[in-house]
Amino acid sequence: DQQVKQNSPSLSVQEGRISILNCDYTNSMFDYFLWYKKYPAEGPTFLISISSIKDKNEDGRFTVFLNKSAKHLSLHIVPSQPGDSAVYFCAASASGANSKLTFGKGITLSVRP
Amino acid sequence: GAGVSQSPSNKVTEKGKDVELRCDPISGHTALYWYRQSLGQGLEFLIYFQGNSAPDKSGLPSDRFSAERTGGSVSTLTIQRTQQEDSAVYLCASSLGGGLGYTFGSGTRLTVV
């Protein structure tokens, strides 16, 4: 039972264009959402997060949007750079759930020079 | 240390053998998590330690899996009588607690032949 779903396994975009990575969740108790980035042979690293009291959080080229009614969030990267090529995981947690994160399957982003 | 350290980085073992995977969290981090990533899958939660509280073992897939955390620091994940489906990258993360600021190690790639 996948509570966090990343339905597209891969995305390819041209350098300089926008990358939009989507994530859906089913557990209405989730109230904190995070994106992690993973390069091969390395552990995931934290990228950006958003609390359910917000609908947008921006950090440089990275913006996360949250639509609670649709149980959907997206990560926008603009402009995309070749160094952004990696696997991106969406994760969610619920307050009081001992801070355990539930991850999606990840999406592989390729940014073409 | 500066980051989360996991050893070994790679482990090949014969089916039926026991293996031990080690995790050295960031000094001072009270929370420690084990996840695994099987081929084509997301990060699957295994077990969570927080301070002196009883661990959350709800993600352990079978009784062949166990973990301990000695002295609130180093953790060992033990898999007994390994099976081929245990092949995966086992990731450890630590945090100050609260689900935020997970820092992952680089993982142990386990291959059961």
Side-chain angles (χ1 to χ4, degrees):
Chain A
D1 173 29
Q2 277 270 303
Q3 297 188 59
V4 177
K5 301 177 184 179
Q6 294 179 260
N7 293 319
S8 300
S10 63
L11 175 69
S12 180
V13 301
Q14 190 75 39
E15 180 178 6
R17 308 294 287 268
I18 185 171
S19 295
I20 300 177
L21 288 68
N22 293 306
C23 178
D24 297 288
Y25 61 97
T26 58
N27 189 338
S28 58
M29 300 300 292
F30 287 149
D31 57 5
Y32 197 76
F33 305 90
L34 309 91
W35 284 92
Y36 281 78
K37 176 178 179 179
K38 185 181 184 300
Y39 291 117
E42 296 183 11
T45 55
F46 170 75
L47 191 56
I48 192 168
S49 63
I50 188 166
S51 163
S52 60
I53 63 174
K54 292 185 160 185
D55 55 18
K56 176 183 175 181
N57 189 27
E58 190 172 354
D59 183 2
R61 297 185 297 113
F62 302 90
T63 303
V64 56
F65 296 91
L66 175 63
N67 182 334
K68 282 196 301 180
S69 61
K71 293 191 177 67
H72 176 83
L73 63 154
S74 61
L75 174 68
H76 292 209
I77 306 172
V78 55
S80 301
Q81 298 173 355
D84 296 329
S85 298
V87 178
Y88 289 79
F89 290 98
C90 174
S93 71
S95 299
N98 67 31
S99 73
K100 179 176 68 182
L101 291 180
T102 301
F103 286 84
K105 290 187 177 183
I107 178 169
T108 300
L109 173 65
S110 299
V111 180
R112 306 185 304 274
Chain B
V4 176
S5 177
Q6 290 188 246
S7 61
S9 55
N10 279 285
K11 176 73 176 178
V12 180
T13 190
E14 290 181 354
K15 179 180 169 181
K17 300 279 191 185
D18 298 352
V19 294
E20 282 190 354
L21 312 180
R22 177 187 167 104
C23 173
D24 244 303
I26 291 174
S27 178
H29 278 192
T30 57
L32 186 147
Y33 313 81
W34 283 97
Y35 285 79
R36 75 174 176 181
Q37 186 181 14
S38 304
L39 192 63
Q41 301 298 313
L43 276 68
E44 175 190 5
F45 168 76
L46 296 177
I47 188 168
Y48 161 65
F49 296 90
Q50 172 62 59
N52 294 320
S53 302
D56 175 355
K57 304 179 182 179
S58 60
L60 294 179
S62 78
D63 58 8
R64 296 186 295 105
F65 287 71
S66 63
E68 61 178 26
R69 188 179 185 191
T70 53
S73 180
V74 172
S75 177
T76 303
L77 177 69
T78 302
I79 310 172
Q80 295 178 309
R81 305 180 303 282
T82 51
Q83 303 295 313
Q84 287 186 328
E85 61 262 28
D86 299 335
S87 297
V89 176
Y90 288 80
L91 289 158
C92 175
S94 70
S95 78
L96 289 169
L100 310 181
Y102 270 41
T103 301
F104 279 91
S106 297
T108 294
R109 179 174 295 278
L110 175 67
T111 304
V112 182
V113 297

